[in-house]
Amino acid sequence: MSGRGMKKWLPFSSLEEQKPSLQQMKYEKGKCPKPKISSDQAEQIDEQLHDYKNKIFLITYYEDGYLLTLEERIKKVDCQSLLIRTESRTISLKNLINLQISKIIQ
Amino acid sequence: MKPVIAAIDLKAFYSFVECLDRKLDPFSTPLVVCDVERGPGTIVLSVSPFLKASGVPSRLRKRDLPKRDDIIFAVPRMARYIEMSAKVVSIMLDFVGEDDLHVYSIDESFLNLGPYLKFYKKTPRQLVRMILEKIRSETGLFATAGIGENLFLAKSALEFEGKKSKDAIGEWTKTDVQTKLWPISPLSEMWGISGGLQKRLNEIGIESIGELANAPEELLIKYFGVIGKDLRDHANGIDDSNIREKYIPKETSLSNGQSLFRNYKKSEMPVIIREMSDDLALRLRLEGKKTGLVCLMIGYSYEIGGGFSRQLSLVKSTSENDIIYDGLLSLFRKFCEDKPIRRVDIAFGKLSFDDVEQLDLFLDSKKQFGKRQLRNALDEIVLRFGRDAVLRGSALLEESNVIKRHAQIGGHRK
């Protein structure tokens, strides 16, 4: 027979309200500063954005302290408001960290 | 790698925070955290180290406080304590990874230091001292600690040595158990033994921790099941819990309870039950669940004592406020006697995911759909603007206490 293990050390559930605060703290703690991109990288992104049609990209962008990656097509590059629109979201160009072609659609 | 567990506990946490926020020295200030507006039987949540040193126990009721007129009463501010607690946990996470941390309560956590000793080039005691110092310098709070090769030993080292030692750290190994743990009495002083369990242990002839450690395992398992095995192991300094194996309880029920501020008449209770069931049903929906079983527990006034606990299976699982309330109310009407009431608990069981809906042949489906839409809209308002944004008119009745309860965390003021 083995013992109850961590089950017996279950925290007091009476303070459910503590949970969101701990989650928020961990979220804040996980944040990193926005990476600086070199002029080479910027140029590379610029090049990719000139010819984005019929391609699926691995899009790495910075949002609220986190680096996120998305694998989607770019639907529109809005040069006036400096945004790109993908299938699911709108990303500001200044938050774009990396663009990599993952698939070319024939 | 051999685990090295540290149990870290914040000294007189709530009253310490209250002293610091008032720029008072907790070691020379007679302060207690206690809701003065409540009666003399109300619990004192925390006692400042100064009062503790003068002999005031840490758990007591307001009426049992020493009669002195310089005591500062601080109204509990749970939201503030939760915020400070998160700050402390954040400091702990500067030293160990999330896998090696187990938050046990608002003022107590376990850390597995084993994997980090080489990196810091420190002994367990030195590393714990570093953590305690950082907590102190960044928050002003004092912490005490216990170190052991498992959670139980760390917790015991904290309780029986760390809290009393000069450097606020206790350190136990299995070999210390015989000399340091076995002499402790009564049995209920040991972690995991309640008053009731102590009584039952006494009944089978076990009076001390040493006797528990040497009792035949089969006997303990026979009387107490797996708990018996754990108790015997603990008494021998053994604990097989692995801090990295996070135990996530399968939530099979949701519950909500309250001790009322005064005795309630039977006729006043439906409002209270309605308010509690509305709140719990909202929690149910936020988790995307529905319930197939409602339970109602009623406790009569302290003078009369007793009460009842009954449950009712619903014909069809639901997350609808009205159906749930009707179930609870029918239990109440059927079983509640005409006595003053002081305690109510409600619970929902047989939970399942609320993703498909079975339409009812005998109900108007348009009406059902409309009702659901109305409820979703109300839920959204409450989520966006707070729980008091939409209330039933009954919140204005004298017997209602929903607004008061919404201003509380865990039954104490926010």
Side-chain angles (χ1 to χ4, degrees), chain B residues 268-298:
Chain B
E268 294 176 306
M269 286 306 293
V271 170
I272 296 287
I273 295 175
R274 173 110 231 184
E275 288 169 350
M276 290 171 74
S277 100
D278 280 353
D279 278 354
L280 199 58
L282 175 67
R283 244 173 80 194
L284 185 74
R285 291 194 294 274
L286 289 181
E287 294 191 8
K289 301 257 175 80
K290 53 186 176 181
T291 172
L293 180 87
V294 296
C295 314
L296 176 72
M297 285 143 273
I298 293 286

PDB file of all heavy atoms in Angstrom, chain B residues 268-298:
ATOM      1  N   GLU B 268     -37.432  33.525   7.010  1.00  0.00           N
ATOM      2  CA  GLU B 268     -36.466  34.455   6.399  1.00  0.00           C
ATOM      3  C   GLU B 268     -35.470  33.735   5.498  1.00  0.00           C
ATOM      4  O   GLU B 268     -34.729  34.372   4.755  1.00  0.00           O
ATOM      5  CB  GLU B 268     -35.657  35.163   7.506  1.00  0.00           C
ATOM      6  CG  GLU B 268     -36.452  36.091   8.387  1.00  0.00           C
ATOM      7  CD  GLU B 268     -35.576  36.644   9.504  1.00  0.00           C
ATOM      8  OE1 GLU B 268     -34.957  35.844  10.234  1.00  0.00           O
ATOM      9  OE2 GLU B 268     -35.500  37.874   9.623  1.00  0.00           O
ATOM     10  N   MET B 269     -35.434  32.422   5.593  1.00  0.00           N
ATOM     11  CA  MET B 269     -34.366  31.665   4.944  1.00  0.00           C
ATOM     12  C   MET B 269     -34.423  31.593   3.414  1.00  0.00           C
ATOM     13  O   MET B 269     -33.373  31.563   2.778  1.00  0.00           O
ATOM     14  CB  MET B 269     -34.295  30.247   5.526  1.00  0.00           C
ATOM     15  CG  MET B 269     -33.690  30.199   6.909  1.00  0.00           C
ATOM     16  SD  MET B 269     -32.082  30.980   6.980  1.00  0.00           S
ATOM     17  CE  MET B 269     -31.136  29.848   5.980  1.00  0.00           C
ATOM     18  N   PRO B 270     -35.624  31.550   2.789  1.00  0.00           N
ATOM     19  CA  PRO B 270     -35.618  31.424   1.330  1.00  0.00           C
ATOM     20  C   PRO B 270     -34.764  32.485   0.631  1.00  0.00           C
ATOM     21  O   PRO B 270     -34.071  32.190  -0.341  1.00  0.00           O
ATOM     22  CB  PRO B 270     -37.095  31.546   0.962  1.00  0.00           C
ATOM     23  CG  PRO B 270     -37.800  30.940   2.131  1.00  0.00           C
ATOM     24  CD  PRO B 270     -36.987  31.384   3.336  1.00  0.00           C
ATOM     25  N   VAL B 271     -34.765  33.722   1.149  1.00  0.00           N
ATOM     26  CA  VAL B 271     -33.956  34.782   0.528  1.00  0.00           C
ATOM     27  C   VAL B 271     -32.478  34.396   0.556  1.00  0.00           C
ATOM     28  O   VAL B 271     -31.750  34.521  -0.432  1.00  0.00           O
ATOM     29  CB  VAL B 271     -34.176  36.126   1.265  1.00  0.00           C
ATOM     30  CG1 VAL B 271     -33.173  37.163   0.810  1.00  0.00           C
ATOM     31  CG2 VAL B 271     -35.589  36.617   1.039  1.00  0.00           C
ATOM     32  N   ILE B 272     -32.023  33.911   1.720  1.00  0.00           N
ATOM     33  CA  ILE B 272     -30.617  33.532   1.881  1.00  0.00           C
ATOM     34  C   ILE B 272     -30.268  32.367   0.935  1.00  0.00           C
ATOM     35  O   ILE B 272     -29.235  32.388   0.253  1.00  0.00           O
ATOM     36  CB  ILE B 272     -30.360  33.107   3.347  1.00  0.00           C
ATOM     37  CG1 ILE B 272     -30.581  34.284   4.287  1.00  0.00           C
ATOM     38  CG2 ILE B 272     -28.976  32.510   3.521  1.00  0.00           C
ATOM     39  CD1 ILE B 272     -29.509  35.334   4.249  1.00  0.00           C
ATOM     40  N   ILE B 273     -31.153  31.382   0.898  1.00  0.00           N
ATOM     41  CA  ILE B 273     -30.881  30.217   0.041  1.00  0.00           C
ATOM     42  C   ILE B 273     -30.845  30.629  -1.430  1.00  0.00           C
ATOM     43  O   ILE B 273     -29.979  30.214  -2.185  1.00  0.00           O
ATOM     44  CB  ILE B 273     -31.933  29.110   0.293  1.00  0.00           C
ATOM     45  CG1 ILE B 273     -31.793  28.594   1.730  1.00  0.00           C
ATOM     46  CG2 ILE B 273     -31.766  27.964  -0.697  1.00  0.00           C
ATOM     47  CD1 ILE B 273     -32.841  27.591   2.151  1.00  0.00           C
ATOM     48  N   ARG B 274     -31.759  31.520  -1.803  1.00  0.00           N
ATOM     49  CA  ARG B 274     -31.796  32.015  -3.185  1.00  0.00           C
ATOM     50  C   ARG B 274     -30.471  32.717  -3.519  1.00  0.00           C
ATOM     51  O   ARG B 274     -29.862  32.484  -4.550  1.00  0.00           O
ATOM     52  CB  ARG B 274     -32.958  32.997  -3.340  1.00  0.00           C
ATOM     53  CG  ARG B 274     -33.005  33.699  -4.655  1.00  0.00           C
ATOM     54  CD  ARG B 274     -34.174  33.209  -5.464  1.00  0.00           C
ATOM     55  NE  ARG B 274     -33.741  32.822  -6.789  1.00  0.00           N
ATOM     56  CZ  ARG B 274     -34.554  32.413  -7.754  1.00  0.00           C
ATOM     57  NH1 ARG B 274     -35.835  32.285  -7.540  1.00  0.00           N
ATOM     58  NH2 ARG B 274     -34.091  32.091  -8.935  1.00  0.00           N
ATOM     59  N   GLU B 275     -30.004  33.579  -2.630  1.00  0.00           N
ATOM     60  CA  GLU B 275     -28.776  34.338  -2.893  1.00  0.00           C
ATOM     61  C   GLU B 275     -27.579  33.403  -3.024  1.00  0.00           C
ATOM     62  O   GLU B 275     -26.741  33.561  -3.904  1.00  0.00           O
ATOM     63  CB  GLU B 275     -28.541  35.355  -1.767  1.00  0.00           C
ATOM     64  CG  GLU B 275     -29.531  36.515  -1.841  1.00  0.00           C
ATOM     65  CD  GLU B 275     -29.536  37.409  -0.617  1.00  0.00           C
ATOM     66  OE1 GLU B 275     -28.907  37.044   0.402  1.00  0.00           O
ATOM     67  OE2 GLU B 275     -30.176  38.478  -0.687  1.00  0.00           O
ATOM     68  N   MET B 276     -27.508  32.422  -2.138  1.00  0.00           N
ATOM     69  CA  MET B 276     -26.381  31.492  -2.199  1.00  0.00           C
ATOM     70  C   MET B 276     -26.464  30.633  -3.453  1.00  0.00           C
ATOM     71  O   MET B 276     -25.455  30.353  -4.097  1.00  0.00           O
ATOM     72  CB  MET B 276     -26.357  30.608  -0.956  1.00  0.00           C
ATOM     73  CG  MET B 276     -25.969  31.373   0.294  1.00  0.00           C
ATOM     74  SD  MET B 276     -26.202  30.383   1.767  1.00  0.00           S
ATOM     75  CE  MET B 276     -24.828  29.254   1.643  1.00  0.00           C
ATOM     76  N   SER B 277     -27.671  30.222  -3.814  1.00  0.00           N
ATOM     77  CA  SER B 277     -27.777  29.351  -4.980  1.00  0.00           C
ATOM     78  C   SER B 277     -27.498  30.139  -6.257  1.00  0.00           C
ATOM     79  O   SER B 277     -26.889  29.632  -7.185  1.00  0.00           O
ATOM     80  CB  SER B 277     -29.122  28.611  -4.979  1.00  0.00           C
ATOM     81  OG  SER B 277     -30.041  29.204  -5.823  1.00  0.00           O
ATOM     82  N   ASP B 278     -27.890  31.415  -6.312  1.00  0.00           N
ATOM     83  CA  ASP B 278     -27.550  32.250  -7.475  1.00  0.00           C
ATOM     84  C   ASP B 278     -26.031  32.353  -7.644  1.00  0.00           C
ATOM     85  O   ASP B 278     -25.498  32.219  -8.736  1.00  0.00           O
ATOM     86  CB  ASP B 278     -28.100  33.674  -7.290  1.00  0.00           C
ATOM     87  CG  ASP B 278     -29.586  33.768  -7.617  1.00  0.00           C
ATOM     88  OD1 ASP B 278     -30.156  32.778  -8.111  1.00  0.00           O
ATOM     89  OD2 ASP B 278     -30.172  34.840  -7.363  1.00  0.00           O
ATOM     90  N   ASP B 279     -25.336  32.603  -6.523  1.00  0.00           N
ATOM     91  CA  ASP B 279     -23.878  32.761  -6.592  1.00  0.00           C
ATOM     92  C   ASP B 279     -23.188  31.474  -7.000  1.00  0.00           C
ATOM     93  O   ASP B 279     -22.259  31.474  -7.798  1.00  0.00           O
ATOM     94  CB  ASP B 279     -23.330  33.229  -5.227  1.00  0.00           C
ATOM     95  CG  ASP B 279     -23.486  34.727  -5.055  1.00  0.00           C
ATOM     96  OD1 ASP B 279     -23.898  35.388  -6.022  1.00  0.00           O
ATOM     97  OD2 ASP B 279     -23.187  35.243  -3.955  1.00  0.00           O
ATOM     98  N   LEU B 280     -23.658  30.364  -6.434  1.00  0.00           N
ATOM     99  CA  LEU B 280     -22.999  29.093  -6.747  1.00  0.00           C
ATOM    100  C   LEU B 280     -23.324  28.658  -8.177  1.00  0.00           C
ATOM    101  O   LEU B 280     -22.477  28.087  -8.871  1.00  0.00           O
ATOM    102  CB  LEU B 280     -23.409  28.018  -5.731  1.00  0.00           C
ATOM    103  CG  LEU B 280     -22.486  26.809  -5.658  1.00  0.00           C
ATOM    104  CD1 LEU B 280     -21.064  27.193  -5.322  1.00  0.00           C
ATOM    105  CD2 LEU B 280     -22.971  25.786  -4.639  1.00  0.00           C
ATOM    106  N   ALA B 281     -24.546  28.971  -8.638  1.00  0.00           N
ATOM    107  CA  ALA B 281     -24.916  28.619 -10.011  1.00  0.00           C
ATOM    108  C   ALA B 281     -24.063  29.419 -11.005  1.00  0.00           C
ATOM    109  O   ALA B 281     -23.698  28.912 -12.064  1.00  0.00           O
ATOM    110  CB  ALA B 281     -26.400  28.879 -10.249  1.00  0.00           C
ATOM    111  N   LEU B 282     -23.721  30.656 -10.624  1.00  0.00           N
ATOM    112  CA  LEU B 282     -22.858  31.454 -11.500  1.00  0.00           C
ATOM    113  C   LEU B 282     -21.481  30.796 -11.595  1.00  0.00           C
ATOM    114  O   LEU B 282     -20.906  30.670 -12.679  1.00  0.00           O
ATOM    115  CB  LEU B 282     -22.735  32.885 -10.960  1.00  0.00           C
ATOM    116  CG  LEU B 282     -21.766  33.793 -11.714  1.00  0.00           C
ATOM    117  CD1 LEU B 282     -22.265  34.087 -13.121  1.00  0.00           C
ATOM    118  CD2 LEU B 282     -21.543  35.118 -10.972  1.00  0.00           C
ATOM    119  N   ARG B 283     -20.958  30.350 -10.458  1.00  0.00           N
ATOM    120  CA  ARG B 283     -19.659  29.659 -10.464  1.00  0.00           C
ATOM    121  C   ARG B 283     -19.728  28.411 -11.329  1.00  0.00           C
ATOM    122  O   ARG B 283     -18.796  28.091 -12.057  1.00  0.00           O
ATOM    123  CB  ARG B 283     -19.280  29.267  -9.026  1.00  0.00           C
ATOM    124  CG  ARG B 283     -18.022  29.986  -8.531  1.00  0.00           C
ATOM    125  CD  ARG B 283     -17.775  29.711  -7.080  1.00  0.00           C
ATOM    126  NE  ARG B 283     -17.142  28.422  -6.850  1.00  0.00           N
ATOM    127  CZ  ARG B 283     -17.082  27.845  -5.649  1.00  0.00           C
ATOM    128  NH1 ARG B 283     -17.611  28.442  -4.594  1.00  0.00           N
ATOM    129  NH2 ARG B 283     -16.490  26.692  -5.493  1.00  0.00           N
ATOM    130  N   LEU B 284     -20.849  27.709 -11.222  1.00  0.00           N
ATOM    131  CA  LEU B 284     -21.067  26.498 -12.007  1.00  0.00           C
ATOM    132  C   LEU B 284     -20.983  26.821 -13.498  1.00  0.00           C
ATOM    133  O   LEU B 284     -20.293  26.147 -14.266  1.00  0.00           O
ATOM    134  CB  LEU B 284     -22.456  25.953 -11.650  1.00  0.00           C
ATOM    135  CG  LEU B 284     -22.910  24.632 -12.234  1.00  0.00           C
ATOM    136  CD1 LEU B 284     -22.190  23.486 -11.555  1.00  0.00           C
ATOM    137  CD2 LEU B 284     -24.419  24.444 -12.050  1.00  0.00           C
ATOM    138  N   ARG B 285     -21.653  27.894 -13.903  1.00  0.00           N
ATOM    139  CA  ARG B 285     -21.672  28.248 -15.324  1.00  0.00           C
ATOM    140  C   ARG B 285     -20.302  28.741 -15.787  1.00  0.00           C
ATOM    141  O   ARG B 285     -19.892  28.470 -16.908  1.00  0.00           O
ATOM    142  CB  ARG B 285     -22.743  29.308 -15.585  1.00  0.00           C
ATOM    143  CG  ARG B 285     -24.153  28.786 -15.417  1.00  0.00           C
ATOM    144  CD  ARG B 285     -25.159  29.749 -16.008  1.00  0.00           C
ATOM    145  NE  ARG B 285     -25.221  31.012 -15.289  1.00  0.00           N
ATOM    146  CZ  ARG B 285     -25.985  31.231 -14.218  1.00  0.00           C
ATOM    147  NH1 ARG B 285     -26.747  30.286 -13.744  1.00  0.00           N
ATOM    148  NH2 ARG B 285     -25.984  32.414 -13.644  1.00  0.00           N
ATOM    149  N   LEU B 286     -19.601  29.450 -14.900  1.00  0.00           N
ATOM    150  CA  LEU B 286     -18.272  29.928 -15.292  1.00  0.00           C
ATOM    151  C   LEU B 286     -17.343  28.759 -15.564  1.00  0.00           C
ATOM    152  O   LEU B 286     -16.413  28.859 -16.350  1.00  0.00           O
ATOM    153  CB  LEU B 286     -17.673  30.813 -14.198  1.00  0.00           C
ATOM    154  CG  LEU B 286     -18.319  32.179 -14.032  1.00  0.00           C
ATOM    155  CD1 LEU B 286     -17.618  32.970 -12.948  1.00  0.00           C
ATOM    156  CD2 LEU B 286     -18.300  32.940 -15.332  1.00  0.00           C
ATOM    157  N   GLU B 287     -17.567  27.644 -14.896  1.00  0.00           N
ATOM    158  CA  GLU B 287     -16.744  26.459 -15.143  1.00  0.00           C
ATOM    159  C   GLU B 287     -17.307  25.636 -16.290  1.00  0.00           C
ATOM    160  O   GLU B 287     -16.799  24.559 -16.591  1.00  0.00           O
ATOM    161  CB  GLU B 287     -16.643  25.621 -13.864  1.00  0.00           C
ATOM    162  CG  GLU B 287     -15.885  26.353 -12.784  1.00  0.00           C
ATOM    163  CD  GLU B 287     -15.523  25.489 -11.604  1.00  0.00           C
ATOM    164  OE1 GLU B 287     -15.731  24.264 -11.675  1.00  0.00           O
ATOM    165  OE2 GLU B 287     -15.040  26.055 -10.615  1.00  0.00           O
ATOM    166  N   GLY B 288     -18.360  26.108 -16.904  1.00  0.00           N
ATOM    167  CA  GLY B 288     -18.954  25.397 -18.036  1.00  0.00           C
ATOM    168  C   GLY B 288     -19.615  24.090 -17.635  1.00  0.00           C
ATOM    169  O   GLY B 288     -19.623  23.136 -18.402  1.00  0.00           O
ATOM    170  N   LYS B 289     -20.138  24.054 -16.432  1.00  0.00           N
ATOM    171  CA  LYS B 289     -20.703  22.788 -15.945  1.00  0.00           C
ATOM    172  C   LYS B 289     -22.203  22.929 -15.658  1.00  0.00           C
ATOM    173  O   LYS B 289     -22.743  24.024 -15.580  1.00  0.00           O
ATOM    174  CB  LYS B 289     -20.012  22.409 -14.628  1.00  0.00           C
ATOM    175  CG  LYS B 289     -18.498  22.248 -14.735  1.00  0.00           C
ATOM    176  CD  LYS B 289     -18.096  20.802 -14.762  1.00  0.00           C
ATOM    177  CE  LYS B 289     -16.616  20.593 -14.992  1.00  0.00           C
ATOM    178  NZ  LYS B 289     -15.824  20.777 -13.788  1.00  0.00           N
ATOM    179  N   LYS B 290     -22.829  21.772 -15.474  1.00  0.00           N
ATOM    180  CA  LYS B 290     -24.203  21.745 -14.962  1.00  0.00           C
ATOM    181  C   LYS B 290     -24.272  20.697 -13.867  1.00  0.00           C
ATOM    182  O   LYS B 290     -23.396  19.837 -13.759  1.00  0.00           O
ATOM    183  CB  LYS B 290     -25.202  21.449 -16.085  1.00  0.00           C
ATOM    184  CG  LYS B 290     -24.901  20.213 -16.900  1.00  0.00           C
ATOM    185  CD  LYS B 290     -25.875  20.122 -18.064  1.00  0.00           C
ATOM    186  CE  LYS B 290     -25.534  18.933 -18.961  1.00  0.00           C
ATOM    187  NZ  LYS B 290     -26.420  18.818 -20.108  1.00  0.00           N
ATOM    188  N   THR B 291     -25.304  20.792 -13.042  1.00  0.00           N
ATOM    189  CA  THR B 291     -25.389  19.891 -11.894  1.00  0.00           C
ATOM    190  C   THR B 291     -26.607  18.979 -11.978  1.00  0.00           C
ATOM    191  O   THR B 291     -27.640  19.366 -12.536  1.00  0.00           O
ATOM    192  CB  THR B 291     -25.427  20.684 -10.561  1.00  0.00           C
ATOM    193  OG1 THR B 291     -25.694  19.768  -9.508  1.00  0.00           O
ATOM    194  CG2 THR B 291     -26.528  21.737 -10.554  1.00  0.00           C
ATOM    195  N   GLY B 292     -26.453  17.780 -11.421  1.00  0.00           N
ATOM    196  CA  GLY B 292     -27.565  16.840 -11.402  1.00  0.00           C
ATOM    197  C   GLY B 292     -28.017  16.519  -9.991  1.00  0.00           C
ATOM    198  O   GLY B 292     -28.877  15.658  -9.785  1.00  0.00           O
ATOM    199  N   LEU B 293     -27.387  17.193  -9.004  1.00  0.00           N
ATOM    200  CA  LEU B 293     -27.705  16.867  -7.613  1.00  0.00           C
ATOM    201  C   LEU B 293     -27.509  18.106  -6.749  1.00  0.00           C
ATOM    202  O   LEU B 293     -26.456  18.732  -6.794  1.00  0.00           O
ATOM    203  CB  LEU B 293     -26.743  15.764  -7.140  1.00  0.00           C
ATOM    204  CG  LEU B 293     -26.901  15.270  -5.714  1.00  0.00           C
ATOM    205  CD1 LEU B 293     -27.936  14.158  -5.666  1.00  0.00           C
ATOM    206  CD2 LEU B 293     -25.581  14.729  -5.186  1.00  0.00           C
ATOM    207  N   VAL B 294     -28.533  18.467  -5.992  1.00  0.00           N
ATOM    208  CA  VAL B 294     -28.354  19.607  -5.087  1.00  0.00           C
ATOM    209  C   VAL B 294     -28.447  19.141  -3.626  1.00  0.00           C
ATOM    210  O   VAL B 294     -29.211  18.241  -3.315  1.00  0.00           O
ATOM    211  CB  VAL B 294     -29.384  20.741  -5.351  1.00  0.00           C
ATOM    212  CG1 VAL B 294     -29.205  21.329  -6.728  1.00  0.00           C
ATOM    213  CG2 VAL B 294     -30.816  20.252  -5.163  1.00  0.00           C
ATOM    214  N   CYS B 295     -27.588  19.727  -2.777  1.00  0.00           N
ATOM    215  CA  CYS B 295     -27.585  19.345  -1.367  1.00  0.00           C
ATOM    216  C   CYS B 295     -27.821  20.597  -0.528  1.00  0.00           C
ATOM    217  O   CYS B 295     -27.333  21.682  -0.861  1.00  0.00           O
ATOM    218  CB  CYS B 295     -26.246  18.777  -0.932  1.00  0.00           C
ATOM    219  SG  CYS B 295     -25.583  17.598  -2.078  1.00  0.00           S
ATOM    220  N   LEU B 296     -28.514  20.428   0.554  1.00  0.00           N
ATOM    221  CA  LEU B 296     -28.753  21.531   1.476  1.00  0.00           C
ATOM    222  C   LEU B 296     -28.432  21.061   2.889  1.00  0.00           C
ATOM    223  O   LEU B 296     -28.866  19.988   3.311  1.00  0.00           O
ATOM    224  CB  LEU B 296     -30.227  21.965   1.397  1.00  0.00           C
ATOM    225  CG  LEU B 296     -30.644  23.056   2.389  1.00  0.00           C
ATOM    226  CD1 LEU B 296     -30.054  24.401   1.994  1.00  0.00           C
ATOM    227  CD2 LEU B 296     -32.172  23.179   2.452  1.00  0.00           C
ATOM    228  N   MET B 297     -27.620  21.836   3.581  1.00  0.00           N
ATOM    229  CA  MET B 297     -27.302  21.516   4.972  1.00  0.00           C
ATOM    230  C   MET B 297     -27.688  22.715   5.830  1.00  0.00           C
ATOM    231  O   MET B 297     -27.299  23.841   5.532  1.00  0.00           O
ATOM    232  CB  MET B 297     -25.811  21.245   5.130  1.00  0.00           C
ATOM    233  CG  MET B 297     -25.396  19.897   4.583  1.00  0.00           C
ATOM    234  SD  MET B 297     -23.782  19.966   3.805  1.00  0.00           S
ATOM    235  CE  MET B 297     -24.176  20.457   2.146  1.00  0.00           C
ATOM    236  N   ILE B 298     -28.426  22.456   6.867  1.00  0.00           N
ATOM    237  CA  ILE B 298     -28.879  23.531   7.753  1.00  0.00           C
ATOM    238  C   ILE B 298     -28.412  23.226   9.168  1.00  0.00           C
ATOM    239  O   ILE B 298     -28.514  22.082   9.626  1.00  0.00           O
ATOM    240  CB  ILE B 298     -30.429  23.628   7.725  1.00  0.00           C
ATOM    241  CG1 ILE B 298     -30.934  24.095   6.361  1.00  0.00           C
ATOM    242  CG2 ILE B 298     -30.958  24.513   8.852  1.00  0.00           C
ATOM    243  CD1 ILE B 298     -30.729  25.569   6.060  1.00  0.00           C
TER     244      ILE B 298
END
